[in-house]
Amino acid sequence: MSQQHRNHDVEAGGNRSGEDEDSSSSVFEITRTKHASVERLRRWRQAALVLNASRRFRYTLDLKKEEEKKKTLGKIRAHAQAIRAAFLFKESLPLENGIVPPKPTSAGEFSIGQEELASISRDHNFTALQQHGGVKGLGNLLKTSLEKGIPGNDDDLLKRKNAYGSNTYPKKKPRSFWRFLWEACQDLTLIILMVAAVASLALGIKTEGIKEGWYDGGSIAFAVLLVIVVTAISDYRQSLQFQNLNEEKRNIQIEVIRGGRRVEVSIYDLVVGDVIPLNIGDQVPADGVLIIGHSLSIDESSMTGESKIVRKDSKEPFLMSGCKVADGNGIMLVTSVGINTEWGLLMASISEDTGEETPLQVRLNGVATFIGVVGLSVAFLVLVVLLVRYFTGHTTNADGTPQFKAGTTKFGKAIDGAIKIVTIAVTIVVVAVPEGLPLAVTLTLAYSMRKMMADKALVRRLSACETMGSATTICSDKTGTLTLNQMAVVEAYACLKKVNSSDGKPDLSPMVSSLIIEGVAQNTTGNVYVPETGGDVEVTGSPTEKAILQWALKLGMNFEAARSQSSILHVFPFNSEKKRGGVAVKLPNSEVHIHWKGAAEIVLASCTRYIDANDQLAAMDNDKRMFFRKCIEDMAAGSLRCVAIAYLPYEENVPTDEQQLADWALPEDELVLLAIVGIKDPCRPGVGDAVRLCQKAGVKVRMVTGDNVQTAKAIALECGILSSDSELSEPTLIEGKAFRELSDRQREDVAEKISVMGRSSPNDKLLLVQALRRRGHVVAVTGDGTNDAPALHEADIGLAMGIQGTEVAKESSDIIILDDNFASVVKVVRWGRSVYANIQKFIQFQLTVNVAALIINVVAAISSGEVPLNAVQLLWVNLIMDTLGALALATEPPTDHLMDRRPVGRREPLITNIMWRNLLIQAIYQVTVLLILNFRGTSILNLKHDSSDHATKLKNTLIFNTFVLCQIFNEFNARKPDEFNIFKGITKNYLFMGIIAVTLVLQILIIEFLGKFTTTVRLNWKYWVISVVIAFISWPLAVIGKLIPVPETPLHKFFTRSPPFKFFTRIFCQQRQSAEVSQ
C-alpha cells in the first residue's frame, strides 16, 4: 500500500482514540466501539428501525443496567468504607481495662469461626489480628504452616470448604428457554400476523364451518409459531455458548503453596488457610493477611473506586480480593473466600452484563434499517393497491367474478378479504425487514469464539474478534511469543574468562560460586522444591528465573540452605523500566551484601570492579569493560539473552526503622561483576511460516522486546521478520531510547519503517502503538506484563499471553492467547477475516431473497391484484432466509484463501461491487423467470384445459417451489462470492449440508403433504424437474457472472460523488448540527 494512500485511508479508521467518530456523517459508523461514548451508543440504537428490540439489542451493552451497576458499586464501596472508618475510630479510643484477648469461636476442627475471621480482614481490624497473635497466630488457628502452606489433600480441602465456604459467589440464573421464546414473540410483525390469524380463523369458522374454515387462519398461526420456536432455539443455543465462554474468562489459574511445593489451582479451588505468593500484575484472589512483603503495593481502585496505590506491610497487612498487585511481591494467608469477601459480595450484588456491540453489528443495523424502510414502503404500496383494487371490484375470483361488490358482499366476507390483504402486506414487511441481519454477527461471533478456544485464543471482547480481520500490523513480544520460552543457560563469562563446564558443573572458584549462589537464591521470585521422598527437583518461576536457578543448582546450590544463611533486608523488584532487580541481605556476621541481576549491558555499566582469577577484587578498566561488552555482543549475535549478576559489599549504615527501610533506595553503582550468562530461548517451530503468512496477507509483523538489540536482530532474522538483505540499521532496527527521544511527528514517520525495537520499555510500546494508529494502521499488540496494560488498552486489539501474562495485562486485553504462541495470533487474524467474510455471504444471500420476493409480489399485486407468494409461503421463505440461512452461512470455517487478501478496511462498504454483481444477476434471473411463470404460466404449462382455480393454484405452487429451490441453490453460490469452485471444502461443513438437507426435506413435505396449510397442490415429477432445472441454472449463471469485471471504486461512491447527493447530504448535516445545538 503506498504511503500516500495510507495517509488518506479513511477506511482503516486511524483516529487516535475515536474522537473524530462523532463527526461521522452516519450514526451507524462506529469504527471502534472499544472507547465509544454512551451517548454515541445510545444514538445508533435510537436511529435503528427495529421490530423486536428485546431480541435485536440482546447482545449489546445494556446502557440502563450499566448505570445501575455503577450506582450499586458506589453504595457497596461506601458501605465498606463506613464500616472500616468506624473500626478505625473505635481503635483510636483509649481502652480502660487494657486489651482482653477474644475467645475464638470455632468452626468444625478449626479454632476460629468464619464470621470472626471474615470481620478481621473485611473491617481491617488490626487490633483483633494482634489479639489472635498476628499472622502467625492466625496460621496456627487455621492449621496452616506459613512456609509450607496447607497439606492440600482432599480431606483437608473438604474440611476447609465445609467450615469456611468455597471461593465462589452466587450467580444470577441464566435466561431460560421460555424467556427466549417470550422475546421471540415480541416481534411487532409477528404479533400483527397472530392477530390477523385469529381474526381470519374466527371469520373462516363462522362462514365456512370449523371443518374447512380454520385452514387459512390456522396455517398462518402455525407458520408464525414455527418461526418463533426456531428463532428461540437458535437464540438459546447462542446464549449457552456465551455462558461457557464467560465461565472460561472467569476461571483464573492461581499459584499456591501446598505441602511445601508451588502448584497451580483454579481460583474457584482456593480455600481459607491457603498460602499464596503474589507478584506484580497478579490479582488478589481472596481476602487475606500479608505474611511477608517486599515493596508490595496494591491498586485498590476496583474496591474503593479511587485510583490510589496502597503500600502493604506488617502495619497495614490486609489484602482485599479483586485488587491488583501494582509493584513488589509478597506472600499472603487467605482468611476469607467467596461470598464472605467484599469482592464476592459485590459480584453477587450486580448482574454481569457481558453485552457489547461490535462495529459490524452497528453497521448492519444501519443496513437493516435502510432495507427495512424500503420494505415498509413497498409493503404499504402493496397494501394500498390491493385494498383499492379489492374495494373497487377489480380483484376477481378464479372464475372472473369480482370478490367485492358494494352493497352485495356480506360484511364478514369483506372483512375477511381485507384481513387477507393486510396479512400479505405485513408478511412482506417480515420478509423485507432483515431483523436477523445484525443478529447474524452475534451468531457468527459465538461460533467463531467457540472454535477459537480450540485454536488457543480466548476472546474477552466481541468486537476484537472482527477487528482482528482489519489488522494491518502486529506488534509482538519476542520472549515466549516468537520463542518457546524454554530457557537454559548455555554460556557464561566470569573472572575475565569463559566459564567451562566439567561433568556438567561450571568451573568457578568456591568464593565466586558462593557469592553467585547467595545472589541467585535471594534475588529471585522463583522457587526450588526438593521432594522429601526423593525424585526430580521442581524449579518454578518465570522462564528466565528458572534458567538461572537451574544453572545455580549445577554450581552446587542448596536453595533452602542458601536462603536460610542470610536474611533479606529489602527488595527492589525487577522493573521493566530499569531492567534489573536487586536485594539487600544480612549475613550471620552482620555483613550486608546488595545483589543485582538484570540486562547485561545495563548492569555492566554500573560495575567498577570484577573478581579476577585469583578471587581478588580488580578494577574494571576500559580494556576489561570492552572484553565483557564483546562477550555480550557475541552471545547476543547468537540469539542469546544476556543477564549480568553483580553484588556490592555494603559498609554503610542500613536503615533500621521499617518505614525507612521500605523507602530505602538500594545502591546501584560501583558494583562488583560476578558473572554474565547467556540464556538460549529457541524460536518456536512454525513461527517463520506464521510470519510469512502475515506478510502475504498484508499484515506487517514488528518485534518489540526488552532484550538487547543484537539478540532481537538474531531472532528476527531467524523467524523471518527481518530478511538477510534488509537494511539492518535505524530505523528498521531501533532502540527504545532512540525512538522515545523523537518528536511526535518524527515518531509517526519512523514508526512505519520499524521492524524491530530492542531495549524497549512498556511506554515505548505505547508510543509506537499511538504513532501507528495516527498513521491509519489498525494495530494488534501482544503483552504479558503489568506495564503493558496501557499499550494493550490503547491498541485496536490487545492480545495478552495466557501462560506468562499477568492478570492486569489480561484484564486490559481483548483476546487472551492461551498458549503464548505467535501462530495462534495468526489464527485469530484468519478468524477475524472469516467473521467479516461470512457476514458478507449472508448479506448477499439475504438481499437476493429480499429483492426477488419484493419485486415478484409488488409487480403481481399492482398488475393483477393477486400475489403468487402468500403469507404462509413468505413466512417459510423468511425462516429459510433469516434463521436457517444465517446458521448455514455464518458458520463457515476460515479458509487459506482469506489470507490472500489485504486487510479489510473498517469503513469499506459492506456490500462490495462483487456482491452487487452476484446478487443482481441472481435476483434479475429469479424475478424474470418467476414473473414469466406468473403471467404466462397457464399457457406455457399447458393448463388451459384445467379449471381456472386449479390452474392458478398449480401455477402459484410451481412459482413457490421454484423460488424456494432457487434460494437453496443460491445458498451454495453465496459460500464463495469470488471463487469459481463453490463446492470447495463443503464436505467439512456438516452444519451447512445438514441445513440444506433439512430445508429440502421440509420443502418436499410442504408441497406434497401440507397443501391445505400453504394453499398449494401436489406437483408431479415433471413440475419438480422444471423447478429443479430453473433453480440449477443459477449455478452456471453464477460462474458466467464471475467472469464479468467490476470497477474497483465502490458502487456507492458513484452516487455519493453526484451533485444531488452532495446537496442533500449538506442539508442533512446542517439540520443535524442545528438539532444538536438546540439540544
Side-chain angles (χ1 to χ4, degrees), residues 351-398:
S351 60
E352 190 171 358
D353 180 23
T354 53
E356 172 221 352
E357 44 263 81
T358 73
L360 196 51
Q361 205 173 2
V362 178
R363 289 179 73 190
L364 281 171
N365 270 285
V367 173
T369 299
F370 173 73
I371 298 169
V373 168
V374 173
L376 276 172
S377 307
V378 170
F380 182 72
L381 179 65
V382 170
L383 178 66
V384 171
V385 169
L386 289 181
L387 285 174
V388 169
R389 285 184 66 97
Y390 179 74
F391 286 111
T392 56
H394 287 85
T395 304
T396 57
N397 293 311

Side-chain angles (χ1 to χ4, degrees), residues 631-901:
C631 295
I632 293 168
E633 285 172 12
D634 289 347
M635 286 193 287
S639 72
L640 301 186
R641 168 178 271 196
C642 303
V643 175
I645 300 168
Y647 95 113
L648 174 68
Y650 193 68
E651 294 167 359
E652 297 177 32
N653 292 329
V654 176
T656 51
D657 178 69
E658 186 177 356
Q659 188 58 46
Q660 289 178 336
L661 198 61
D663 296 334
W664 182 33
L666 292 181
E668 50 189 42
D669 296 317
E670 299 187 354
L671 306 181
V672 178
L673 182 68
L674 293 174
I676 296 173
V677 296
I679 301 171
K680 180 71 176 172
D681 184 15
C683 255
R684 282 185 181 273
V687 77
D689 293 336
V691 169
R692 278 191 292 277
L693 191 60
C694 277
Q695 290 166 343
K696 176 184 162 192
V699 182
K700 183 174 173 68
V701 182
R702 305 166 200 268
M703 181 196 289
V704 184
T705 177
D707 267 357
N708 183 305
V709 172
Q710 297 303 317
T711 307
K713 181 177 85 172
I715 293 288
L717 284 167
E718 196 175 335
C719 64
I721 291 173
L722 292 174
S723 55
S724 52
D725 56 352
S726 297
E727 188 185 348
L728 301 179
S729 59
E730 283 193 20
T732 309
L733 198 66
I734 195 169
E735 271 206 8
K737 186 183 177 186
F739 182 71
R740 197 182 314 146
E741 289 169 351
L742 298 172
S743 67
D744 283 355
R745 184 66 200 165
Q746 287 172 321
R747 274 201 292 269
E748 282 183 41
D749 294 334
V750 168
E752 284 279 355
K753 300 167 188 171
I754 292 173
S755 291
V756 175
M757 186 188 287
R759 281 288 175 245
S760 69
S761 68
N763 192 51
D764 298 332
K765 189 187 278 189
L766 176 63
L767 291 172
L768 178 62
V769 170
Q770 289 171 337
L772 287 169
R773 289 198 67 235
R774 284 197 294 268
R775 293 291 283 195
H777 282 283
V778 179
V779 186
V781 169
T782 70
D784 53 14
T786 304
N787 293 332
D788 287 331
L792 289 168
H793 188 261
E794 175 69 19
D796 294 284
I797 314 104
L799 303 157
M801 299 297 108
I803 300 170
Q804 291 302 316
T806 63
E807 279 310 308
V808 171
K810 288 175 186 175
E811 286 215 351
S812 298
S813 71
D814 304 303
I815 298 173
I816 299 171
I817 305 300
L818 299 173
D819 61 353
D820 291 15
N821 191 344
F822 184 77
S824 298
V825 176
V826 180
K827 286 176 184 173
V828 174
V829 175
R830 273 164 54 106
W831 277 109
R833 293 186 175 194
S834 175
V835 167
Y836 196 87
N838 286 351
I839 292 302
Q840 286 187 314
K841 293 171 189 176
F842 181 55
I843 291 172
Q844 180 182 308
F845 172 68
Q846 189 167 47
L847 286 187
T848 307
V849 186
N850 273 12
V851 171
L854 284 177
I855 293 174
I856 290 164
N857 267 11
V858 169
V859 172
I862 291 172
S863 60
S864 66
E866 290 286 344
V867 286
L869 299 171
N870 63 36
V872 177
Q873 293 167 0
L874 282 174
L875 283 171
W876 170 234
V877 169
N878 184 64
L879 197 62
I880 296 171
M881 180 181 72
D882 248 17
T883 309
L884 298 178
L887 270 172
L889 293 169
T891 55
E892 278 277 322
T895 60
D896 292 335
H897 178 64
L898 292 169
M899 299 302 279
D900 293 334
R901 306 172 184 172

Side-chain angles (χ1 to χ4, degrees), residues 69-357:
K69 182 176 170 181
K70 286 176 183 175
K71 288 177 185 175
T72 307
L73 283 170
K75 285 177 187 174
I76 292 173
R77 286 166 176 162
H79 175 69
Q81 287 175 324
I83 292 174
R84 209 163 293 134
F87 268 96
L88 290 171
F89 177 72
K90 188 178 173 185
E91 282 184 18
S92 66
L93 297 174
L95 293 171
E96 294 178 10
N97 302 318
I99 296 172
V100 180
K103 186 179 179 182
T105 55
S106 62
E109 295 189 13
F110 303 98
S111 305
I112 186 167
Q114 169 54 53
E115 192 53 47
E116 188 177 357
L117 197 57
S119 70
I120 291 172
S121 55
R122 189 170 59 232
D123 306 329
H124 290 201
N125 193 339
F126 189 73
T127 305
L129 178 66
Q130 292 300 101
Q131 289 169 354
H132 286 299
V135 185
K136 193 170 184 181
L138 269 189
N140 293 334
L141 292 171
L142 293 170
K143 299 183 180 179
T144 297
S145 162
L146 299 186
E147 293 79 32
K148 295 187 175 181
I150 62 173
N153 55 58
D154 291 343
D155 288 344
D156 180 54
L157 293 174
L158 187 62
K159 286 173 188 173
R160 291 176 188 275
K161 283 181 181 177
N162 290 337
Y164 301 110
S166 60
N167 199 29
T168 55
Y169 54 87
K171 299 184 186 76
K172 290 201 164 61
K173 281 186 179 179
R175 295 178 184 186
S176 67
F177 172 72
W178 304 109
R179 175 79 182 273
F180 285 97
L181 203 63
W182 170 245
E183 286 184 357
C185 291
Q186 292 173 31
D187 190 302
L188 182 62
T189 49
L190 295 182
I191 292 169
I192 294 169
L193 284 175
M194 281 303 283
V195 171
V198 171
S200 180
L201 195 65
L203 287 165
I205 292 169
K206 185 181 176 184
T207 55
E208 297 177 40
I210 195 163
K211 194 173 181 182
E212 295 293 325
W214 70 275
Y215 281 116
D216 281 354
S219 56
I220 293 172
F222 177 75
V224 169
L225 288 173
L226 183 66
V227 169
I228 288 169
V229 170
V230 172
T231 302
I233 290 169
S234 174
D235 291 350
Y236 182 60
R237 279 173 52 81
Q238 277 182 57
S239 77
L240 291 178
Q241 289 178 1
F242 281 123
Q243 278 176 42
N244 294 335
L245 288 166
N246 287 332
E247 282 300 319
E248 287 288 341
K249 280 190 252 183
R250 287 190 284 259
N251 189 12
I252 300 167
Q253 294 298 306
I254 302 290
E255 189 178 58
V256 299
I257 300 172
R258 288 181 179 173
R261 63 192 295 194
R262 295 191 180 197
V263 292
E264 278 202 350
V265 299
S266 165
I267 192 169
Y268 300 131
D269 294 332
L270 286 186
V271 292
V272 169
D274 259 326
V275 173
I276 303 173
L278 295 174
N279 292 305
I280 184 168
D282 286 350
Q283 177 178 310
V284 179
D287 282 3
V289 183
L290 185 67
I291 297 170
I292 186 169
H294 304 299
S295 308
L296 185 66
S297 298
I298 302 291
D299 178 3
E300 294 186 347
S301 58
S302 60
M303 287 306 305
T304 62
E306 298 171 14
S307 186
K308 185 181 177 185
I309 306 299
V310 181
R311 176 71 66 86
K312 296 292 178 181
D313 50 33
S314 58
K315 291 178 182 174
E316 185 58 48
F318 299 105
L319 298 163
M320 289 189 289
S321 175
C323 299
K324 307 290 187 300
V325 180
D327 199 8
N329 55 61
I331 297 174
M332 71 173 279
L333 172 69
V334 175
T335 57
S336 293
V337 292
I339 197 68
N340 298 308
T341 67
E342 266 182 51
W343 181 253
L345 185 69
L346 194 141
M347 293 308 288
S349 304
I350 58 175
S351 60
E352 190 171 358
D353 180 23
T354 53
E356 172 221 352
E357 44 263 81

Side-chain angles (χ1 to χ4, degrees), residues 548-563:
I548 293 171
L549 284 169
Q550 282 163 339
W551 183 67
L553 286 171
K554 290 178 183 176
L555 283 173
M557 175 181 72
N558 181 323
F559 187 73
E560 290 298 331
R563 285 177 75 88

